Amino acid sequence: MAADAAGRTAVNPALHWCTATALGAAIAARRLSPVTLMQELLARIARLDPDHAVFVRLDAEQALAAARQAEDAAMHGRLLGPLHGIPVGVKDIIDVAGLPTTCHSKIRLDAMATRDAGAVARLRQQGAIVIGKLATHEFALGGPSFDLPFPPARNPWNQAHHPGGSSSGSGAGLAAGMFPLALGTDTAGSIRNPASCCGVVGLKPTYGAVSRRGVFPLAFTLDHVGPMARSVADVALLLDAIAGPDDEDAGSIRRPTRPASRDLGRGVRGLRIGYVRHFHEIDMPADPAVAQALDEAARLLAAEGATIVDVRLPDLNLFSAVARTILHSEAWSVHAEWLRTRPQDYARNTRQRLLVGAFIPAGDYLLAQRHRTRLIAAMQDIFRDVDVLLCASAMDPPCRIDDEQATARSYPRQARTPFNVTGHPALAMMAGLSPDGLPVAVQFAGRYNDEATLLRTASAFERAGGWQDRHPLP
Amino acid sequence: MSDDELTTRVQDSGLQLAWQLFPEDVRAAVALARRQGAVLAAPFAANEEPWPPMQPGERL
């Protein structure tokens, strides 16, 4: 069992696999020093990151200094909040004051942030410590690219495989035990994709629940910031820390302040869960391992007391076409000037996708928004009948990262974008392993601003499935 | 789309440099944009007529 500098015993023999919830409790009870925790994680990162490329920028010196301050404050009974002394990784499209926000791009190598993003500011107010900036796809788009200033992150379950994206470093670093919490962003599934590929938990909150101030935009009506962790309880903990209104984000919403974590232990008895089979059985047939994991999830939740009902939404391919048209149009509005003047400075993947927006007529963008209105109405109709939806996240297990065709094929083969189009909260989590030993996942979605019931369901599935204790590394 | 039409579209978008350096990327982008448009133009549901023009008061 590990001990801190003062000889006090720590909370677990494998500190790097502890949940943030447990670490926070141990720090609050003075059983664990934030310095001990930080030193152990930094040593682990030094050992593992050369093979995983999780960090674009590790801020070890500042992180250790912050841990010393946190220890001193804890010793004097001045805890800032439930995240006091907890290291958090931040995707590198989110501003952290004093560090560049490179967006993993040559174009922004020197773009120094002078102010924390809204979500980062809230994290720090709760006592969390930013450990560094994490790998992404360039500008949170494209895919794993080898023609950028930083290498793409690797999947800890098998380093030859894609960790998902675009919050790649967030997912890979959590799965490798480098930090217990991470921030990601999700415009077309970019939190839930790496959560699925890396076997962790990722939540895209209700649109507007978490501030996007200080986050480099991809598509402003689809962009979300959200929490990632290795357990549902930790995702709830992080969401409660970062959610809240922000007058500097025009999409920010005011909503009830009840904690998202309030119902985690209630189980699913009495809940109606709509199972969207047609997404992965008809619209976009899934790999058998994914289909099997979904059926097993439905069976487990029924055994826990939920009522499972088959439900039908519009065709998944329509959701995808609407999402792509909106994303490409809005992303073009962000990148037009750079695409005109320095197209050679983008990775090929990113450039190819961003250029699409230049050729989408305004009429098609409007038509996509009209479709969106009706898709939202269809989703709202479903949520009058059920409390939570169960559906696929990725249709396939993670592919090899060096197989360009396979990675390109993997991005549209997913059922995450429907919830970016409608803005409903959605969570992806591990639900099994493929025959090759790679994670497969399921997705749950909830009503607007009802992350509590969504997390309650995910927590019940986590307990029943038991996958959260499986790790790819010692 | 002919090369002349494509060149016009490229000039309208101010993408001459991209067209000069990466013509295949530009061609692929144009093709994808057209394919997406075709999917969207289909009726919302199987038993519906194609989309009418936007109506007064219709909200997005």
Side-chain angles (χ1 to χ4, degrees):
Chain A
M1 182 166 287
D4 66 14
R8 295 163 302 214
T9 51
V11 288
N12 193 295
L15 208 52
H16 52 273
W17 294 130
C18 282
T19 64
T21 306
L23 293 170
I27 289 170
R30 301 189 199 176
R31 286 186 289 110
L32 173 65
S33 155
V35 177
T36 304
L37 173 61
M38 189 63 76
Q39 285 172 332
E40 175 158 334
L41 294 183
L42 288 173
R44 187 171 175 84
I45 291 164
R47 195 168 71 251
L48 295 177
D49 201 45
D51 293 331
H52 292 86
V54 163
F55 282 87
V56 167
R57 170 109 175 207
L58 177 65
D59 198 19
E61 197 174 314
Q62 287 296 321
L64 259 179
R68 288 191 192 98
Q69 285 182 354
E71 180 179 71
D72 183 63
M75 294 304 288
H76 290 86
R78 298 193 308 269
L79 295 173
L80 290 175
L83 298 180
H84 191 96
I86 305 294
V88 181
V90 178
K91 181 178 182 177
D92 197 23
I93 69 165
I94 302 172
D95 283 352
V96 172
L99 297 178
T101 306
T102 71
C103 301
H104 214 115
S105 178
K106 183 178 179 182
I107 290 172
R108 285 181 53 94
L109 279 178
D110 302 317
M112 187 64 71
T114 56
R115 184 185 177 198
D116 284 338
V120 173
R122 283 180 180 268
L123 279 180
R124 292 207 213 254
Q125 286 161 11
Q126 301 282 321
I129 299 171
V130 174
I131 194 168
K133 303 297 290 291
L134 307 177
T136 168
H137 299 335
E138 188 180 28
F139 290 109
L141 190 67
S145 298
F146 296 88
D147 52 347
L148 287 170
F150 312 100
R154 300 282 181 151
N155 194 324
W157 290 86
N158 184 331
Q159 291 150 20
H161 284 70
H162 185 21
S166 61
S167 306
S168 317
S170 307
L174 287 165
M178 294 180 178
F179 37 78
L181 300 173
L183 287 184
T185 65
D186 193 316
T187 302
S190 287
I191 285 174
R192 292 160 287 157
N193 183 5
S196 301
C197 291
C198 294
V200 299
V201 186
L203 169 69
K204 180 202 78 65
T206 302
Y207 182 76
V210 177
S211 168
R212 299 166 304 171
R213 178 180 62 74
V215 180
F216 196 88
L218 176 54
F220 48 87
T221 70
L222 298 167
D223 289 341
H224 301 67
V225 175
M228 300 175 69
R230 288 188 297 268
S231 78
V232 174
D234 277 4
V235 160
L237 178 74
L238 187 49
L239 177 65
D240 282 335
I242 61 177
D246 184 345
D247 291 340
E248 295 181 70
D249 175 355
S252 178
I253 56 170
R254 294 186 183 278
R255 62 182 203 160
T257 53
R258 291 177 302 175
S261 54
R262 70 179 187 272
D263 292 333
L264 288 181
R266 280 185 63 190
V268 288
R269 186 164 298 283
L271 291 185
R272 282 174 67 80
I273 298 177
Y275 186 10
V276 195
R277 286 177 185 276
H278 67 90
F279 276 180
H280 71 277
E281 289 184 352
I282 299 168
D283 303 344
M284 208 176 275
D287 182 277
V290 172
Q292 187 179 347
L294 281 158
D295 286 345
E296 177 64 6
R299 190 192 66 77
L300 283 173
L301 290 166
E304 294 292 312
T307 301
I308 310 293
V309 293
D310 282 357
V311 295
R312 180 150 198 100
L313 284 164
D315 191 316
L316 177 56
N317 295 290
L318 178 58
F319 279 107
S320 302
V322 168
R324 278 197 300 270
T325 301
I326 294 171
L327 190 156
H328 286 141
S329 303
E330 295 179 359
W332 164 252
S333 78
V334 175
H335 288 273
E337 193 54 31
W338 287 331
L339 285 167
R340 288 176 179 133
T341 57
R342 48 193 302 190
Q344 71 280 12
D345 288 338
Y346 288 93
R348 187 165 52 91
N349 263 339
T350 322
R351 183 174 57 246
Q352 286 175 338
R353 285 165 173 78
L354 286 173
L355 281 171
V356 176
F359 302 104
I360 294 175
D364 282 359
Y365 179 72
L366 272 177
L367 189 51
Q369 295 287 14
R370 295 175 81 189
H371 273 288
R372 184 183 208 174
T373 304
R374 296 179 72 170
L375 292 171
I376 289 170
M379 190 76 80
Q380 288 288 74
D381 272 350
I382 293 288
F383 277 118
R384 278 187 259 283
D385 184 47
V386 301
D387 300 293
V388 171
L389 294 176
L390 164 67
C391 65
S393 172
M395 296 301 174
D396 306 290
C399 61
R400 286 187 62 93
I401 196 169
D402 58 358
D403 185 339
E404 198 173 346
Q405 288 185 332
T407 55
R409 205 166 43 239
S410 73
Y411 281 88
R413 281 186 48 75
Q414 46 98 349
R416 294 177 286 263
T417 46
F419 308 106
N420 295 85
V421 169
T422 68
H424 289 83
L427 173 150
M429 63 190 294
M430 189 171 178
L433 288 170
S434 72
D436 294 333
L438 294 162
V440 292
V442 296
Q443 180 175 217
F444 298 105
R447 296 188 179 108
Y448 289 133
N449 299 314
D450 191 11
E451 278 84 353
T453 305
L454 174 60
L455 290 160
R456 170 185 168 188
T457 305
S459 180
F461 175 67
E462 182 179 66
R463 286 191 298 275
W467 292 105
Q468 77 278 9
D469 295 328
R470 300 287 293 268
H471 303 300
L473 302 168
Chain B
M1 184 179 292
S2 71
D3 269 9
D4 282 351
E5 286 175 298
L6 194 51
T7 303
T8 304
R9 297 282 299 277
V10 163
Q11 284 173 347
D12 289 348
S13 306
L15 287 170
Q16 292 91 331
L17 183 58
W19 179 232
Q20 181 188 331
L21 297 175
F22 310 106
E24 291 314 309
D25 291 354
V26 174
R27 283 184 200 280
V30 172
L32 184 55
R34 287 162 71 100
R35 281 202 302 275
Q36 285 179 191
V39 173
L40 293 176
F44 186 82
N47 58 348
E48 284 187 341
E49 295 296 317
W51 289 81
M54 281 194 77
Q55 303 300 306
E58 182 177 340
R59 300 183 67 172
L60 297 176

